[in-house]
Amino acid sequence: MVKCDFSGYATRNDLLCGDGRTIRKDAFKENDGCEVPLVWNHEHNDPNAVLGHAILENRDDGVYAYGVFNDTEQGQTAKKLVQNGDVRSLSIWANQLKHIGKDVIHGNIRELSLVLAGANPGAYVDFV
């Protein structure tokens, strides 16, 4: 296991997401082992919203993430929110998506967000 502040599913396979799409097995397999920014609520245009980074692991049932908070004020505040259980949802932002109908079969995860409510019902923090 990677040394981390928390871990959980960045996205789960075969669940209908809030945007009407379903992510299928191995859609993000090329992201296995990649490090992506950890941000607050998809604010990837604001450097103050960067909270740390996450290492991604492709699994049979989805993409698992190991999150590390940075030592900024925002990162440490987010760490306390996660540790306290106040924020437990995760969400990905991906591009280069390929679809078959509404099924996502390929893409590239560019960031992982801590969010109050995520689009994928299986994306959540499960270890602090």
Side-chain angles (χ1 to χ4, degrees), residues 6 9-11 23 28 31 34-46 49-56 63-67 89-97 107-115 123:
F6 75 92
Y9 277 91
T11 187
I23 296 168
F28 300 111
N31 288 117
C34 289
E35 182 178 304
V36 296
L38 175 66
V39 302
W40 176 253
N41 202 37
H42 298 294
E43 293 293 330
H44 47 260
N45 293 325
D46 180 1
V50 176
L51 307 172
H53 66 273
I55 310 249
L56 304 177
V63 177
Y64 202 76
Y66 300 93
S89 295
L90 299 171
S91 182
I92 60 169
W93 181 75
N95 63 6
Q96 299 174 333
L97 298 177
N108 192 7
I109 297 173
R110 297 296 187 177
E111 56 106 310
L112 178 66
S113 278
L114 282 174
V115 293

mmCIF file of all heavy atoms in Angstrom, residues 6 9-11 23 28 31 34-46 49-56 63-67 89-97 107-115 123:
data_model
loop_
_atom_site.group_PDB
_atom_site.id
_atom_site.type_symbol
_atom_site.label_atom_id
_atom_site.label_comp_id
_atom_site.label_asym_id
_atom_site.label_seq_id
_atom_site.Cartn_x
_atom_site.Cartn_y
_atom_site.Cartn_z
ATOM 1 N N PHE A 6 -5.267 9.287 2.968
ATOM 2 C CA PHE A 6 -6.567 8.633 2.825
ATOM 3 C C PHE A 6 -6.538 7.835 1.535
ATOM 4 O O PHE A 6 -5.669 8.011 0.686
ATOM 5 C CB PHE A 6 -7.723 9.651 2.802
ATOM 6 C CG PHE A 6 -7.833 10.403 1.508
ATOM 7 C CD1 PHE A 6 -8.644 9.955 0.470
ATOM 8 C CD2 PHE A 6 -7.108 11.568 1.310
ATOM 9 C CE1 PHE A 6 -8.728 10.651 -0.725
ATOM 10 C CE2 PHE A 6 -7.190 12.272 0.124
ATOM 11 C CZ PHE A 6 -8.002 11.808 -0.898
ATOM 12 N N TYR A 9 -12.219 4.940 -3.559
ATOM 13 C CA TYR A 9 -12.489 4.788 -4.977
ATOM 14 C C TYR A 9 -12.687 6.143 -5.657
ATOM 15 O O TYR A 9 -13.571 6.907 -5.286
ATOM 16 C CB TYR A 9 -13.710 3.904 -5.207
ATOM 17 C CG TYR A 9 -13.335 2.447 -5.148
ATOM 18 C CD1 TYR A 9 -13.400 1.744 -3.956
ATOM 19 C CD2 TYR A 9 -12.874 1.805 -6.282
ATOM 20 C CE1 TYR A 9 -13.024 0.414 -3.901
ATOM 21 C CE2 TYR A 9 -12.492 0.482 -6.235
ATOM 22 C CZ TYR A 9 -12.565 -0.210 -5.049
ATOM 23 O OH TYR A 9 -12.180 -1.522 -4.996
ATOM 24 N N ALA A 10 -11.846 6.400 -6.662
ATOM 25 C CA ALA A 10 -11.994 7.607 -7.481
ATOM 26 C C ALA A 10 -13.216 7.463 -8.377
ATOM 27 O O ALA A 10 -13.932 8.433 -8.633
ATOM 28 C CB ALA A 10 -10.736 7.831 -8.324
ATOM 29 N N THR A 11 -13.440 6.261 -8.842
ATOM 30 C CA THR A 11 -14.611 5.941 -9.645
ATOM 31 C C THR A 11 -14.823 4.434 -9.597
ATOM 32 O O THR A 11 -13.868 3.676 -9.430
ATOM 33 C CB THR A 11 -14.475 6.447 -11.103
ATOM 34 O OG1 THR A 11 -15.708 6.263 -11.793
ATOM 35 C CG2 THR A 11 -13.340 5.774 -11.846
ATOM 36 N N ILE A 23 -19.225 4.211 -16.450
ATOM 37 C CA ILE A 23 -17.818 3.907 -16.686
ATOM 38 C C ILE A 23 -17.652 2.393 -16.665
ATOM 39 O O ILE A 23 -18.086 1.729 -15.726
ATOM 40 C CB ILE A 23 -16.923 4.577 -15.631
ATOM 41 C CG1 ILE A 23 -17.044 6.091 -15.772
ATOM 42 C CG2 ILE A 23 -15.478 4.116 -15.764
ATOM 43 C CD1 ILE A 23 -16.461 6.884 -14.645
ATOM 44 N N PHE A 28 -10.051 3.398 -17.655
ATOM 45 C CA PHE A 28 -8.929 4.257 -17.272
ATOM 46 C C PHE A 28 -7.686 3.432 -16.924
ATOM 47 O O PHE A 28 -6.842 3.870 -16.150
ATOM 48 C CB PHE A 28 -9.333 5.150 -16.091
ATOM 49 C CG PHE A 28 -10.496 6.040 -16.395
ATOM 50 C CD1 PHE A 28 -11.721 5.836 -15.778
ATOM 51 C CD2 PHE A 28 -10.379 7.076 -17.306
ATOM 52 C CE1 PHE A 28 -12.805 6.656 -16.058
ATOM 53 C CE2 PHE A 28 -11.451 7.893 -17.595
ATOM 54 C CZ PHE A 28 -12.672 7.689 -16.973
ATOM 55 N N ASN A 31 -4.202 4.872 -16.706
ATOM 56 C CA ASN A 31 -3.868 5.743 -15.579
ATOM 57 C C ASN A 31 -3.309 4.974 -14.387
ATOM 58 O O ASN A 31 -2.951 5.579 -13.376
ATOM 59 C CB ASN A 31 -5.082 6.548 -15.123
ATOM 60 C CG ASN A 31 -5.461 7.633 -16.090
ATOM 61 O OD1 ASN A 31 -6.552 7.608 -16.645
ATOM 62 N ND2 ASN A 31 -4.563 8.574 -16.320
ATOM 63 N N CYS A 34 -0.445 6.326 -12.146
ATOM 64 C CA CYS A 34 -0.250 7.759 -12.410
ATOM 65 C C CYS A 34 -0.520 8.589 -11.162
ATOM 66 O O CYS A 34 -1.343 8.226 -10.316
ATOM 67 C CB CYS A 34 -1.186 8.228 -13.522
ATOM 68 S SG CYS A 34 -0.761 7.621 -15.149
ATOM 69 N N GLU A 35 0.151 9.711 -11.100
ATOM 70 C CA GLU A 35 -0.077 10.697 -10.046
ATOM 71 C C GLU A 35 -0.828 11.867 -10.663
ATOM 72 O O GLU A 35 -0.426 12.384 -11.704
ATOM 73 C CB GLU A 35 1.253 11.163 -9.473
ATOM 74 C CG GLU A 35 1.116 12.155 -8.330
ATOM 75 C CD GLU A 35 2.464 12.556 -7.763
ATOM 76 O OE1 GLU A 35 3.221 11.649 -7.358
ATOM 77 O OE2 GLU A 35 2.744 13.768 -7.740
ATOM 78 N N VAL A 36 -1.938 12.255 -10.040
ATOM 79 C CA VAL A 36 -2.743 13.377 -10.523
ATOM 80 C C VAL A 36 -2.961 14.368 -9.383
ATOM 81 O O VAL A 36 -2.910 13.986 -8.205
ATOM 82 C CB VAL A 36 -4.107 12.911 -11.091
ATOM 83 C CG1 VAL A 36 -3.923 12.024 -12.318
ATOM 84 C CG2 VAL A 36 -4.943 12.204 -10.039
ATOM 85 N N PRO A 37 -3.232 15.634 -9.720
ATOM 86 C CA PRO A 37 -3.515 16.605 -8.660
ATOM 87 C C PRO A 37 -4.797 16.248 -7.899
ATOM 88 O O PRO A 37 -5.757 15.736 -8.477
ATOM 89 C CB PRO A 37 -3.708 17.920 -9.413
ATOM 90 C CG PRO A 37 -3.076 17.719 -10.747
ATOM 91 C CD PRO A 37 -3.208 16.252 -11.041
ATOM 92 N N LEU A 38 -4.781 16.519 -6.612
ATOM 93 C CA LEU A 38 -5.964 16.420 -5.760
ATOM 94 C C LEU A 38 -6.441 17.844 -5.536
ATOM 95 O O LEU A 38 -5.679 18.686 -5.057
ATOM 96 C CB LEU A 38 -5.601 15.759 -4.428
ATOM 97 C CG LEU A 38 -6.691 15.685 -3.360
ATOM 98 C CD1 LEU A 38 -7.827 14.774 -3.826
ATOM 99 C CD2 LEU A 38 -6.110 15.184 -2.048
ATOM 100 N N VAL A 39 -7.671 18.131 -5.948
ATOM 101 C CA VAL A 39 -8.179 19.498 -5.879
ATOM 102 C C VAL A 39 -9.529 19.534 -5.182
ATOM 103 O O VAL A 39 -10.181 18.510 -4.987
ATOM 104 C CB VAL A 39 -8.277 20.149 -7.287
ATOM 105 C CG1 VAL A 39 -6.934 20.160 -7.978
ATOM 106 C CG2 VAL A 39 -9.296 19.462 -8.154
ATOM 107 N N TRP A 40 -9.937 20.729 -4.822
ATOM 108 C CA TRP A 40 -11.245 20.929 -4.212
ATOM 109 C C TRP A 40 -12.271 21.199 -5.306
ATOM 110 O O TRP A 40 -12.123 22.123 -6.104
ATOM 111 C CB TRP A 40 -11.229 22.088 -3.220
ATOM 112 C CG TRP A 40 -12.581 22.367 -2.667
ATOM 113 C CD1 TRP A 40 -13.382 23.420 -2.960
ATOM 114 C CD2 TRP A 40 -13.323 21.541 -1.763
ATOM 115 N NE1 TRP A 40 -14.573 23.316 -2.285
ATOM 116 C CE2 TRP A 40 -14.557 22.158 -1.540
ATOM 117 C CE3 TRP A 40 -13.054 20.338 -1.119
ATOM 118 C CZ2 TRP A 40 -15.524 21.617 -0.703
ATOM 119 C CZ3 TRP A 40 -14.016 19.808 -0.289
ATOM 120 C CH2 TRP A 40 -15.238 20.446 -0.085
ATOM 121 N N ASN A 41 -13.306 20.373 -5.370
ATOM 122 C CA ASN A 41 -14.502 20.592 -6.169
ATOM 123 C C ASN A 41 -14.222 20.945 -7.636
ATOM 124 O O ASN A 41 -14.832 21.846 -8.185
ATOM 125 C CB ASN A 41 -15.364 21.665 -5.502
ATOM 126 C CG ASN A 41 -16.793 21.589 -5.939
ATOM 127 O OD1 ASN A 41 -17.318 20.510 -6.145
ATOM 128 N ND2 ASN A 41 -17.426 22.732 -6.102
ATOM 129 N N HIS A 42 -13.277 20.271 -8.244
ATOM 130 C CA HIS A 42 -12.937 20.443 -9.665
ATOM 131 C C HIS A 42 -12.435 21.837 -10.018
ATOM 132 O O HIS A 42 -12.491 22.249 -11.166
ATOM 133 C CB HIS A 42 -14.112 20.076 -10.573
ATOM 134 C CG HIS A 42 -14.523 18.649 -10.448
ATOM 135 N ND1 HIS A 42 -13.708 17.602 -10.844
ATOM 136 C CD2 HIS A 42 -15.648 18.074 -9.944
ATOM 137 C CE1 HIS A 42 -14.330 16.458 -10.608
ATOM 138 N NE2 HIS A 42 -15.497 16.710 -10.054
ATOM 139 N N GLU A 43 -11.930 22.558 -9.055
ATOM 140 C CA GLU A 43 -11.386 23.896 -9.314
ATOM 141 C C GLU A 43 -9.956 23.785 -9.834
ATOM 142 O O GLU A 43 -9.022 24.290 -9.235
ATOM 143 C CB GLU A 43 -11.442 24.740 -8.032
ATOM 144 C CG GLU A 43 -12.826 25.080 -7.568
ATOM 145 C CD GLU A 43 -13.556 26.027 -8.509
ATOM 146 O OE1 GLU A 43 -12.896 26.849 -9.186
ATOM 147 O OE2 GLU A 43 -14.791 25.923 -8.589
ATOM 148 N N HIS A 44 -9.796 23.154 -10.998
ATOM 149 C CA HIS A 44 -8.457 22.933 -11.516
ATOM 150 C C HIS A 44 -7.862 24.156 -12.220
ATOM 151 O O HIS A 44 -6.772 24.079 -12.763
ATOM 152 C CB HIS A 44 -8.396 21.693 -12.427
ATOM 153 C CG HIS A 44 -9.472 21.611 -13.437
ATOM 154 N ND1 HIS A 44 -10.579 20.819 -13.259
ATOM 155 C CD2 HIS A 44 -9.614 22.205 -14.622
ATOM 156 C CE1 HIS A 44 -11.359 20.935 -14.300
ATOM 157 N NE2 HIS A 44 -10.800 21.754 -15.142
ATOM 158 N N ASN A 45 -8.548 25.274 -12.176
ATOM 159 C CA ASN A 45 -8.000 26.528 -12.719
ATOM 160 C C ASN A 45 -7.482 27.457 -11.623
ATOM 161 O O ASN A 45 -7.018 28.552 -11.910
ATOM 162 C CB ASN A 45 -9.059 27.251 -13.557
ATOM 163 C CG ASN A 45 -9.406 26.483 -14.805
ATOM 164 O OD1 ASN A 45 -8.545 25.843 -15.407
ATOM 165 N ND2 ASN A 45 -10.673 26.519 -15.189
ATOM 166 N N ASP A 46 -7.579 27.030 -10.380
ATOM 167 C CA ASP A 46 -7.180 27.863 -9.251
ATOM 168 C C ASP A 46 -6.088 27.153 -8.453
ATOM 169 O O ASP A 46 -6.348 26.122 -7.829
ATOM 170 C CB ASP A 46 -8.394 28.130 -8.351
ATOM 171 C CG ASP A 46 -8.082 28.995 -7.150
ATOM 172 O OD1 ASP A 46 -6.924 29.439 -6.985
ATOM 173 O OD2 ASP A 46 -9.017 29.232 -6.361
ATOM 174 N N ALA A 49 -6.753 25.928 -4.968
ATOM 175 C CA ALA A 49 -7.648 24.787 -4.775
ATOM 176 C C ALA A 49 -6.905 23.458 -4.805
ATOM 177 O O ALA A 49 -7.495 22.414 -4.519
ATOM 178 C CB ALA A 49 -8.744 24.796 -5.838
ATOM 179 N N VAL A 50 -5.609 23.478 -5.114
ATOM 180 C CA VAL A 50 -4.823 22.247 -5.124
ATOM 181 C C VAL A 50 -4.530 21.852 -3.682
ATOM 182 O O VAL A 50 -3.951 22.620 -2.918
ATOM 183 C CB VAL A 50 -3.517 22.417 -5.928
ATOM 184 C CG1 VAL A 50 -2.677 21.150 -5.848
ATOM 185 C CG2 VAL A 50 -3.822 22.774 -7.378
ATOM 186 N N LEU A 51 -4.943 20.653 -3.319
ATOM 187 C CA LEU A 51 -4.838 20.168 -1.941
ATOM 188 C C LEU A 51 -3.708 19.166 -1.748
ATOM 189 O O LEU A 51 -3.330 18.867 -0.627
ATOM 190 C CB LEU A 51 -6.156 19.514 -1.525
ATOM 191 C CG LEU A 51 -7.418 20.358 -1.723
ATOM 192 C CD1 LEU A 51 -8.653 19.516 -1.457
ATOM 193 C CD2 LEU A 51 -7.369 21.590 -0.847
ATOM 194 N N GLY A 52 -3.200 18.626 -2.837
ATOM 195 C CA GLY A 52 -2.170 17.598 -2.785
ATOM 196 C C GLY A 52 -2.164 16.820 -4.079
ATOM 197 O O GLY A 52 -2.370 17.380 -5.156
ATOM 198 N N HIS A 53 -1.981 15.505 -3.972
ATOM 199 C CA HIS A 53 -1.989 14.658 -5.157
ATOM 200 C C HIS A 53 -2.545 13.281 -4.801
ATOM 201 O O HIS A 53 -2.703 12.948 -3.614
ATOM 202 C CB HIS A 53 -0.583 14.530 -5.762
ATOM 203 C CG HIS A 53 0.385 13.812 -4.880
ATOM 204 N ND1 HIS A 53 1.126 14.449 -3.907
ATOM 205 C CD2 HIS A 53 0.724 12.496 -4.795
ATOM 206 C CE1 HIS A 53 1.882 13.572 -3.285
ATOM 207 N NE2 HIS A 53 1.662 12.378 -3.803
ATOM 208 N N ALA A 54 -2.840 12.505 -5.828
ATOM 209 C CA ALA A 54 -3.341 11.148 -5.643
ATOM 210 C C ALA A 54 -2.635 10.215 -6.618
ATOM 211 O O ALA A 54 -2.354 10.597 -7.754
ATOM 212 C CB ALA A 54 -4.851 11.091 -5.859
ATOM 213 N N ILE A 55 -2.371 9.011 -6.154
ATOM 214 C CA ILE A 55 -1.818 7.953 -6.999
ATOM 215 C C ILE A 55 -2.979 7.027 -7.336
ATOM 216 O O ILE A 55 -3.730 6.616 -6.435
ATOM 217 C CB ILE A 55 -0.716 7.166 -6.254
ATOM 218 C CG1 ILE A 55 0.273 8.132 -5.667
ATOM 219 C CG2 ILE A 55 -0.147 6.075 -7.151
ATOM 220 C CD1 ILE A 55 1.608 8.233 -6.173
ATOM 221 N N LEU A 56 -3.136 6.723 -8.616
ATOM 222 C CA LEU A 56 -4.272 5.934 -9.081
ATOM 223 C C LEU A 56 -3.885 4.472 -9.296
ATOM 224 O O LEU A 56 -2.776 4.173 -9.728
ATOM 225 C CB LEU A 56 -4.804 6.516 -10.389
ATOM 226 C CG LEU A 56 -5.200 7.992 -10.338
ATOM 227 C CD1 LEU A 56 -5.630 8.467 -11.722
ATOM 228 C CD2 LEU A 56 -6.291 8.241 -9.312
ATOM 229 N N VAL A 63 -11.334 2.449 -10.261
ATOM 230 C CA VAL A 63 -10.028 3.072 -10.056
ATOM 231 C C VAL A 63 -9.943 3.512 -8.605
ATOM 232 O O VAL A 63 -10.781 4.286 -8.127
ATOM 233 C CB VAL A 63 -9.818 4.288 -10.994
ATOM 234 C CG1 VAL A 63 -8.476 4.954 -10.716
ATOM 235 C CG2 VAL A 63 -9.914 3.861 -12.452
ATOM 236 N N TYR A 64 -8.945 2.979 -7.911
ATOM 237 C CA TYR A 64 -8.722 3.286 -6.505
ATOM 238 C C TYR A 64 -7.684 4.398 -6.427
ATOM 239 O O TYR A 64 -6.795 4.499 -7.283
ATOM 240 C CB TYR A 64 -8.232 2.041 -5.774
ATOM 241 C CG TYR A 64 -8.458 2.078 -4.294
ATOM 242 C CD1 TYR A 64 -9.719 1.871 -3.749
ATOM 243 C CD2 TYR A 64 -7.402 2.317 -3.424
ATOM 244 C CE1 TYR A 64 -9.926 1.903 -2.387
ATOM 245 C CE2 TYR A 64 -7.598 2.345 -2.049
ATOM 246 C CZ TYR A 64 -8.865 2.141 -1.540
ATOM 247 O OH TYR A 64 -9.064 2.175 -0.190
ATOM 248 N N ALA A 65 -7.778 5.253 -5.408
ATOM 249 C CA ALA A 65 -6.863 6.386 -5.268
ATOM 250 C C ALA A 65 -6.278 6.425 -3.870
ATOM 251 O O ALA A 65 -6.962 6.131 -2.880
ATOM 252 C CB ALA A 65 -7.604 7.689 -5.548
ATOM 253 N N TYR A 66 -5.008 6.799 -3.815
ATOM 254 C CA TYR A 66 -4.294 7.025 -2.560
ATOM 255 C C TYR A 66 -3.966 8.509 -2.513
ATOM 256 O O TYR A 66 -3.161 8.993 -3.313
ATOM 257 C CB TYR A 66 -3.012 6.182 -2.506
ATOM 258 C CG TYR A 66 -3.291 4.698 -2.594
ATOM 259 C CD1 TYR A 66 -3.284 4.046 -3.820
ATOM 260 C CD2 TYR A 66 -3.578 3.970 -1.445
ATOM 261 C CE1 TYR A 66 -3.542 2.682 -3.897
ATOM 262 C CE2 TYR A 66 -3.845 2.604 -1.519
ATOM 263 C CZ TYR A 66 -3.827 1.974 -2.753
ATOM 264 O OH TYR A 66 -4.094 0.620 -2.825
ATOM 265 N N GLY A 67 -4.601 9.243 -1.607
ATOM 266 C CA GLY A 67 -4.467 10.693 -1.551
ATOM 267 C C GLY A 67 -3.473 11.159 -0.514
ATOM 268 O O GLY A 67 -3.428 10.636 0.601
ATOM 269 N N SER A 89 -16.759 12.271 -0.279
ATOM 270 C CA SER A 89 -17.003 11.945 -1.682
ATOM 271 C C SER A 89 -15.830 12.353 -2.560
ATOM 272 O O SER A 89 -15.176 13.369 -2.317
ATOM 273 C CB SER A 89 -18.267 12.652 -2.185
ATOM 274 O OG SER A 89 -19.402 12.174 -1.502
ATOM 275 N N LEU A 90 -15.603 11.543 -3.586
ATOM 276 C CA LEU A 90 -14.559 11.801 -4.567
ATOM 277 C C LEU A 90 -15.176 11.881 -5.948
ATOM 278 O O LEU A 90 -16.244 11.328 -6.201
ATOM 279 C CB LEU A 90 -13.514 10.679 -4.542
ATOM 280 C CG LEU A 90 -12.770 10.493 -3.225
ATOM 281 C CD1 LEU A 90 -11.941 9.210 -3.263
ATOM 282 C CD2 LEU A 90 -11.880 11.694 -2.948
ATOM 283 N N SER A 91 -14.477 12.565 -6.840
ATOM 284 C CA SER A 91 -14.947 12.713 -8.212
ATOM 285 C C SER A 91 -13.741 12.899 -9.120
ATOM 286 O O SER A 91 -12.758 13.522 -8.722
ATOM 287 C CB SER A 91 -15.884 13.928 -8.309
ATOM 288 O OG SER A 91 -16.387 14.078 -9.616
ATOM 289 N N ILE A 92 -13.828 12.367 -10.320
ATOM 290 C CA ILE A 92 -12.734 12.534 -11.278
ATOM 291 C C ILE A 92 -13.110 13.561 -12.336
ATOM 292 O O ILE A 92 -14.286 13.802 -12.605
ATOM 293 C CB ILE A 92 -12.359 11.210 -11.975
ATOM 294 C CG1 ILE A 92 -13.556 10.632 -12.746
ATOM 295 C CG2 ILE A 92 -11.787 10.232 -10.981
ATOM 296 C CD1 ILE A 92 -13.212 9.481 -13.661
ATOM 297 N N TRP A 93 -12.082 14.158 -12.924
ATOM 298 C CA TRP A 93 -12.236 14.927 -14.155
ATOM 299 C C TRP A 93 -11.332 14.240 -15.158
ATOM 300 O O TRP A 93 -10.138 14.019 -14.893
ATOM 301 C CB TRP A 93 -11.836 16.387 -13.964
ATOM 302 C CG TRP A 93 -12.021 17.177 -15.224
ATOM 303 C CD1 TRP A 93 -13.208 17.616 -15.749
ATOM 304 C CD2 TRP A 93 -11.001 17.602 -16.118
ATOM 305 N NE1 TRP A 93 -12.973 18.286 -16.916
ATOM 306 C CE2 TRP A 93 -11.625 18.291 -17.179
ATOM 307 C CE3 TRP A 93 -9.619 17.459 -16.150
ATOM 308 C CZ2 TRP A 93 -10.934 18.844 -18.233
ATOM 309 C CZ3 TRP A 93 -8.917 18.000 -17.200
ATOM 310 C CH2 TRP A 93 -9.566 18.688 -18.223
ATOM 311 N N ALA A 94 -11.910 13.839 -16.272
ATOM 312 C CA ALA A 94 -11.163 13.109 -17.292
ATOM 313 C C ALA A 94 -11.455 13.707 -18.663
ATOM 314 O O ALA A 94 -12.481 14.337 -18.883
ATOM 315 C CB ALA A 94 -11.560 11.640 -17.265
ATOM 316 N N ASN A 95 -10.495 13.481 -19.573
ATOM 317 C CA ASN A 95 -10.713 13.893 -20.956
ATOM 318 C C ASN A 95 -10.291 12.753 -21.875
ATOM 319 O O ASN A 95 -10.038 11.652 -21.416
ATOM 320 C CB ASN A 95 -10.004 15.209 -21.274
ATOM 321 C CG ASN A 95 -8.503 15.143 -21.154
ATOM 322 O OD1 ASN A 95 -7.914 14.087 -20.937
ATOM 323 N ND2 ASN A 95 -7.865 16.289 -21.275
ATOM 324 N N GLN A 96 -10.262 13.010 -23.159
ATOM 325 C CA GLN A 96 -9.967 12.003 -24.177
ATOM 326 C C GLN A 96 -10.905 10.800 -24.029
ATOM 327 O O GLN A 96 -10.501 9.646 -24.207
ATOM 328 C CB GLN A 96 -8.503 11.563 -24.110
ATOM 329 C CG GLN A 96 -7.539 12.711 -24.354
ATOM 330 C CD GLN A 96 -6.100 12.308 -24.141
ATOM 331 O OE1 GLN A 96 -5.782 11.395 -23.380
ATOM 332 N NE2 GLN A 96 -5.192 13.010 -24.819
ATOM 333 N N LEU A 97 -12.166 11.102 -23.689
ATOM 334 C CA LEU A 97 -13.147 10.047 -23.464
ATOM 335 C C LEU A 97 -13.601 9.429 -24.779
ATOM 336 O O LEU A 97 -13.823 10.129 -25.766
ATOM 337 C CB LEU A 97 -14.360 10.590 -22.722
ATOM 338 C CG LEU A 97 -14.113 11.148 -21.321
ATOM 339 C CD1 LEU A 97 -15.401 11.710 -20.744
ATOM 340 C CD2 LEU A 97 -13.534 10.090 -20.404
ATOM 341 N N GLY A 107 -10.510 6.683 -21.390
ATOM 342 C CA GLY A 107 -10.327 8.081 -21.027
ATOM 343 C C GLY A 107 -9.027 8.261 -20.270
ATOM 344 O O GLY A 107 -8.286 7.311 -20.026
ATOM 345 N N ASN A 108 -8.759 9.508 -19.911
ATOM 346 C CA ASN A 108 -7.544 9.868 -19.206
ATOM 347 C C ASN A 108 -7.921 10.746 -18.017
ATOM 348 O O ASN A 108 -8.386 11.875 -18.193
ATOM 349 C CB ASN A 108 -6.599 10.612 -20.152
ATOM 350 C CG ASN A 108 -5.226 10.774 -19.585
ATOM 351 O OD1 ASN A 108 -4.890 10.230 -18.540
ATOM 352 N ND2 ASN A 108 -4.405 11.543 -20.270
ATOM 353 N N ILE A 109 -7.738 10.230 -16.815
ATOM 354 C CA ILE A 109 -8.052 10.993 -15.605
ATOM 355 C C ILE A 109 -6.994 12.076 -15.429
ATOM 356 O O ILE A 109 -5.804 11.791 -15.397
ATOM 357 C CB ILE A 109 -8.111 10.085 -14.368
ATOM 358 C CG1 ILE A 109 -9.230 9.061 -14.524
ATOM 359 C CG2 ILE A 109 -8.296 10.917 -13.090
ATOM 360 C CD1 ILE A 109 -9.268 7.999 -13.434
ATOM 361 N N ARG A 110 -7.443 13.317 -15.301
ATOM 362 C CA ARG A 110 -6.534 14.456 -15.164
ATOM 363 C C ARG A 110 -6.467 15.004 -13.748
ATOM 364 O O ARG A 110 -5.502 15.650 -13.382
ATOM 365 C CB ARG A 110 -6.955 15.580 -16.118
ATOM 366 C CG ARG A 110 -6.888 15.215 -17.560
ATOM 367 C CD ARG A 110 -5.479 14.926 -17.954
ATOM 368 N NE ARG A 110 -5.394 14.732 -19.393
ATOM 369 C CZ ARG A 110 -4.275 14.531 -20.027
ATOM 370 N NH1 ARG A 110 -3.147 14.471 -19.369
ATOM 371 N NH2 ARG A 110 -4.269 14.351 -21.316
ATOM 372 N N GLU A 111 -7.516 14.779 -12.955
ATOM 373 C CA GLU A 111 -7.507 15.219 -11.562
ATOM 374 C C GLU A 111 -8.525 14.448 -10.764
ATOM 375 O O GLU A 111 -9.478 13.908 -11.314
ATOM 376 C CB GLU A 111 -7.733 16.728 -11.430
ATOM 377 C CG GLU A 111 -9.004 17.233 -12.072
ATOM 378 C CD GLU A 111 -10.137 17.609 -11.136
ATOM 379 O OE1 GLU A 111 -10.503 16.820 -10.247
ATOM 380 O OE2 GLU A 111 -10.695 18.679 -11.320
ATOM 381 N N LEU A 112 -8.284 14.399 -9.465
ATOM 382 C CA LEU A 112 -9.221 13.833 -8.508
ATOM 383 C C LEU A 112 -9.664 14.962 -7.598
ATOM 384 O O LEU A 112 -8.838 15.748 -7.138
ATOM 385 C CB LEU A 112 -8.545 12.735 -7.682
ATOM 386 C CG LEU A 112 -9.401 12.081 -6.603
ATOM 387 C CD1 LEU A 112 -10.542 11.289 -7.241
ATOM 388 C CD2 LEU A 112 -8.555 11.181 -5.714
ATOM 389 N N SER A 113 -10.965 15.044 -7.369
ATOM 390 C CA SER A 113 -11.499 16.104 -6.518
ATOM 391 C C SER A 113 -12.142 15.546 -5.260
ATOM 392 O O SER A 113 -12.785 14.494 -5.291
ATOM 393 C CB SER A 113 -12.576 16.901 -7.266
ATOM 394 O OG SER A 113 -12.010 17.858 -8.092
ATOM 395 N N LEU A 114 -11.962 16.288 -4.176
ATOM 396 C CA LEU A 114 -12.789 16.114 -2.995
ATOM 397 C C LEU A 114 -14.035 16.948 -3.231
ATOM 398 O O LEU A 114 -13.923 18.126 -3.604
ATOM 399 C CB LEU A 114 -12.080 16.623 -1.750
ATOM 400 C CG LEU A 114 -11.021 15.740 -1.141
ATOM 401 C CD1 LEU A 114 -10.322 16.475 0.001
ATOM 402 C CD2 LEU A 114 -11.607 14.439 -0.637
ATOM 403 N N VAL A 115 -15.194 16.341 -3.064
ATOM 404 C CA VAL A 115 -16.454 17.037 -3.327
ATOM 405 C C VAL A 115 -17.453 16.722 -2.217
ATOM 406 O O VAL A 115 -17.310 15.729 -1.499
ATOM 407 C CB VAL A 115 -17.036 16.636 -4.703
ATOM 408 C CG1 VAL A 115 -16.164 17.134 -5.848
ATOM 409 C CG2 VAL A 115 -17.243 15.138 -4.819
ATOM 410 N N ALA A 123 -17.882 6.370 -5.629
ATOM 411 C CA ALA A 123 -16.618 7.099 -5.424
ATOM 412 C C ALA A 123 -16.638 7.771 -4.056
ATOM 413 O O ALA A 123 -17.371 8.737 -3.841
ATOM 414 C CB ALA A 123 -16.415 8.127 -6.521
#
